[in-house]
Amino acid sequence: LELRSKASSVSDLSELRAALENLVAVDPNNPEVFLARNSAATILERAIDEQLQTYNWGAANNLIIEQSSLLAIEAQGRLRERVTNAQRQRGSTLDEFMERIDQATRNNRLSGRNSALRIFAELQQVDPPADIVSRAKAMIFESYLNVAREQRIAADWDASLATLLAAREYAEHD
């Protein structure tokens, strides 16, 4: 069994799974089994990291499931933990952005260093899911309307109109 020297991708592992399973059935303590499983884990770590970079949690978990017979139990656990930690970190990052946008919009900060618009631009750099983008945009749009309402109450008609026009432009801009 020369799994270590031949395998360099997940497709190689799929082709060689039967050979490893046969060796495990015949001689589970063969040192080649340990080395082959370590090689498989290394290859899977790279493949899983590629999936995690695009937030493809399902594909990462499927790789672990599909290739589980090639992995020691410890390696399976380590890879599952890697996916879980990446999901948790991603959720935490998105939650932090939404909290910052919420704080800015509650204070009607639409311009300046800590404005909702600037934070939203930062959020877009981390490739958020569509539902997060929609929620953030709705919060910002509502903040525009609140500012316009406050300006109208203060009888600052020109500023209120300008804010409403900015709100419309923001809503139309995608």
Side-chain angles (χ1 to χ4, degrees):
L1 178 75
E2 294 182 17
L3 177 60
R4 290 172 291 130
S5 62
K6 292 182 181 178
S8 62
S9 71
V10 173
S11 62
D12 294 338
L13 293 179
S14 297
E15 295 170 11
L16 296 171
R17 179 185 297 124
L20 180 59
E21 288 173 353
N22 288 337
L23 181 58
V24 168
V26 173
D27 185 6
N29 296 320
N30 187 316
E32 193 68 26
V33 171
F34 174 78
L35 295 171
R37 285 190 167 163
N38 281 344
S39 294
T42 300
I43 291 166
L44 283 171
E45 282 177 12
R46 284 194 307 262
I48 287 169
D49 285 346
E50 288 175 17
Q51 297 302 322
L52 297 180
Q53 289 175 1
T54 58
Y55 316 115
N56 197 343
W57 321 121
N61 280 317
N62 284 341
L63 280 171
I64 298 167
I65 291 166
E66 291 167 2
Q67 304 299 334
S68 63
S69 66
L70 294 172
L71 300 169
I73 297 296
E74 299 82 23
Q76 290 177 40
R78 190 177 68 250
L79 292 173
R80 283 191 185 100
E81 186 175 336
R82 189 182 202 113
V83 174
T84 301
N85 288 342
Q87 285 178 292
R88 199 173 290 130
Q89 177 62 41
R90 173 75 169 160
S92 178
T93 298
L94 294 174
D95 289 346
E96 288 173 18
F97 273 111
M98 291 306 290
E99 177 58 35
R100 290 175 56 209
I101 290 172
D102 181 55
Q103 182 102 25
T105 57
R106 278 189 279 126
N107 294 314
N108 295 326
R109 281 194 321 262
L110 294 170
S111 61
R113 222 181 87 210
N114 291 314
S115 72
L117 295 172
R118 179 167 278 172
I119 298 165
F120 181 72
E122 293 171 17
L123 171 66
Q124 289 181 306
Q125 298 302 308
V126 299
D127 192 27
D131 65 316
I132 297 288
V133 171
S134 294
R135 280 188 14 226
K137 283 184 168 186
M139 293 165 69
I140 292 169
F141 185 74
E142 187 168 331
S143 186
Y144 270 114
L145 296 180
N146 289 337
V147 169
R149 188 176 304 117
E150 288 173 4
Q151 292 166 331
R152 190 184 71 222
I153 290 169
D156 191 349
W157 307 110
D158 292 338
S160 180
L161 178 60
T163 300
L164 288 173
L165 291 173
R168 184 176 80 187
E169 183 179 323
Y170 176 77
E172 292 172 350
H173 179 13
D174 207 46

